[in-house]
């Protein structure tokens, strides 16, 4: 009898199951021959599963799940609940790709995942108004940041303040101290900031929170010479630009949300 032609969904299942099995095997530190010996699944059949050329039978899915000490749905997405269908194979595919990256790129993946998790938590913990009938909100302000000549910024200066407009999603809030960034930012204004983990994320002319030799500033950053040099710019022309030297202890900790 001719073989039944696989549906596009079945073909996708084969790819997912193949990626899953290869990942589980790598994490277990065992070999395919160990699976054959313990489960009785023929080596040629097992190879088809690992290469993505065959779909395992329900009986063999259970044997594979028992071997790896996982659920059947962890091996074969066909056993997942309907509510889980949107994430079929994503975890395993991510792990499989992650293992192939070099150390530098692995770090970037982790940093990206951290950022996305923070975004998710910000949305889940969205600030609510004090009273549903008005537009007053509580905001946790980390401390003050200088718009002038520098100010120390620590994690111990938290204060809870009320604002009259719904804050955007943000990592932390700060109070501006000084007038060097007028008219965009005024003295005493609350600003909202997203953390930065890699300077490459920062674009030219963005408003940033920068730490320089122990002091913290809110300034516009301008990169020169193909990003090899940079300056912190004040909007109020009474204040001179701050040239960043190689000897300075300098980093950008966040970008102001405009």
């Amino acid at each position: 009898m001719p073989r039944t032609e696989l549906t596009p969904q079945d073909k996708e299942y084969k790819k997912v199951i193949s990626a899953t099995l290869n990942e589980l095997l790598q994490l277990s530190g065992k070999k395919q021959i160990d699976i054959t010996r313990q489960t009785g699944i023929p080596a040629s059949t097992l190879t088809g599963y690992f290469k993505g050329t065959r779909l395992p039978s329900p009986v063999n899915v259970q044997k594979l799940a028992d071997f790896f000490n996982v659920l059947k749905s962890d091996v074969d997405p066909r056993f997942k609940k309907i509510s889980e269908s949107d994430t079929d194979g994503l975890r395993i595919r991510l792990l499989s790709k992650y293992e192939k990256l070099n150390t530098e790129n692995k770090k970037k993946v982790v940093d990206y995942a951290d950022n996305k998790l923070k975004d998710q938590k910000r949305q889940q913990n969205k600030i609510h108004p004090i009273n549903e009938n008005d537009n007053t909100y509580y905001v946790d302000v980390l401390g003050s940041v200088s718009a002038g000549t520098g100010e120390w910024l620590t994690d111990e200066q938290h204060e809870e303040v009320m604002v009259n407009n719904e804050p955007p999603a943000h990592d932390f809030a700060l109070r501006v101290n000084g007038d060097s960034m007028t008219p965009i930012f005024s003295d005493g204004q609350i600003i909202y900031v997203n953390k930065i983990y890699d300077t490459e994320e920062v674009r030219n002319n963005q408003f940033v929170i920068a730490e320089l030799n122990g002091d913290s500033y809110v300034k516009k950053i301008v990169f020169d010479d193909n990003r090899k040099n940079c300056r912190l710019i004040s909007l109020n022309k009474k204040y001179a630009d701050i040239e960043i030297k190689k000897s300075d202890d300098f980093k950008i900790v966040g970008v102001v949300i405009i």
Side-chain angles (χ1 to χ4, degrees):
M1 293 179 63
R3 293 184 179 180
T4 303
E5 187 172 343
L6 293 176
T7 66
Q9 183 65 69
D10 286 336
K11 293 178 181 178
E12 182 62 26
Y13 284 146
K14 288 197 296 184
K15 292 178 183 179
V16 173
I17 293 169
S18 170
T20 300
L21 291 176
N22 279 284
E23 181 63 27
L24 289 172
L25 187 65
Q26 183 178 5
L27 293 174
S28 71
K30 297 183 179 181
K31 299 179 180 179
Q32 287 189 37
I33 188 62
D34 297 321
I35 303 176
T36 294
R37 289 170 177 166
Q38 183 170 323
T39 65
I41 300 174
S44 59
T45 301
L46 194 61
T47 297
Y49 300 160
F50 274 84
K51 288 186 176 181
T53 59
R54 301 184 65 168
L55 277 173
S57 65
V59 172
N60 283 347
V61 170
Q62 185 63 66
K63 290 181 179 179
L64 291 166
D66 291 342
F67 178 85
F68 290 114
N69 194 28
V70 297
L71 298 174
K72 287 191 295 183
S73 58
D74 291 329
V75 174
D76 189 333
R78 293 175 296 177
F79 289 89
K80 288 183 181 291
K81 297 177 182 178
I82 294 176
S83 62
E84 299 174 325
S85 61
D86 290 341
T87 58
D88 285 352
L90 288 179
R91 178 178 61 84
I92 296 301
R93 288 163 60 191
L94 175 61
L95 289 174
S96 178
K97 294 179 186 300
Y98 175 85
E99 291 299 329
K100 297 176 183 178
L101 297 173
N102 59 32
T103 301
E104 181 180 355
N105 286 330
K106 284 180 178 178
K107 183 179 182 302
K108 290 181 179 179
V109 169
V110 172
D111 288 343
Y112 178 79
D114 284 341
N115 286 336
K116 299 310 293 183
L117 183 57
K118 287 183 174 68
D119 288 341
Q120 179 176 298
K121 288 181 177 179
R122 286 201 300 266
Q123 292 301 318
Q124 291 172 344
N125 300 320
K126 190 174 181 180
I127 300 172
H128 293 288
I130 300 170
N131 187 317
E132 294 295 335
N133 296 321
D134 62 29
N135 292 320
T136 306
Y137 297 80
Y138 277 127
V139 173
D140 183 35
V141 177
L142 176 61
S144 295
V145 62
S146 178
T149 58
E151 184 165 327
W152 184 253
L153 179 66
T154 74
D155 290 334
E156 300 176 355
Q157 302 176 16
H158 288 262
E159 62 171 323
E160 194 173 66
V161 301
M162 290 186 296
V163 296
N164 294 325
N165 295 296
E166 182 177 3
H170 60 280
D171 286 320
F172 58 94
L174 296 169
R175 187 187 299 277
V176 175
N177 185 15
D179 65 350
S180 76
M181 295 303 289
T182 56
I184 301 298
F185 306 118
S186 58
D187 185 31
Q189 179 180 343
I190 302 300
I191 57 176
Y192 304 99
V193 183
N194 282 335
K195 288 183 179 179
I196 289 295
Y197 299 90
D198 187 343
T199 305
E200 294 299 319
E201 299 176 51
V202 182
R203 300 190 304 275
N204 203 28
N205 292 315
Q206 278 192 302
F207 295 108
V208 301
I209 305 301
E211 291 185 354
L212 175 62
N213 300 325
D215 289 330
S216 297
Y217 302 80
V218 54
K219 298 289 182 184
K220 182 169 76 170
I221 191 164
V222 174
F223 294 100
D224 300 312
D225 193 18
N226 198 26
R227 297 181 71 96
K228 292 181 181 178
N229 302 305
C230 68
R231 292 173 289 139
L232 298 179
I233 307 295
S234 297
L235 300 183
N236 187 333
K237 296 308 177 183
K238 293 191 304 182
Y239 297 84
D241 296 350
I242 301 175
E243 298 282 349
I244 307 302
K245 305 179 182 66
K246 291 184 178 180
S247 59
D248 287 330
D249 182 11
F250 174 75
K251 69 175 180 178
I252 301 170
V253 298
V255 171
V256 181
I257 301 169
I258 300 298

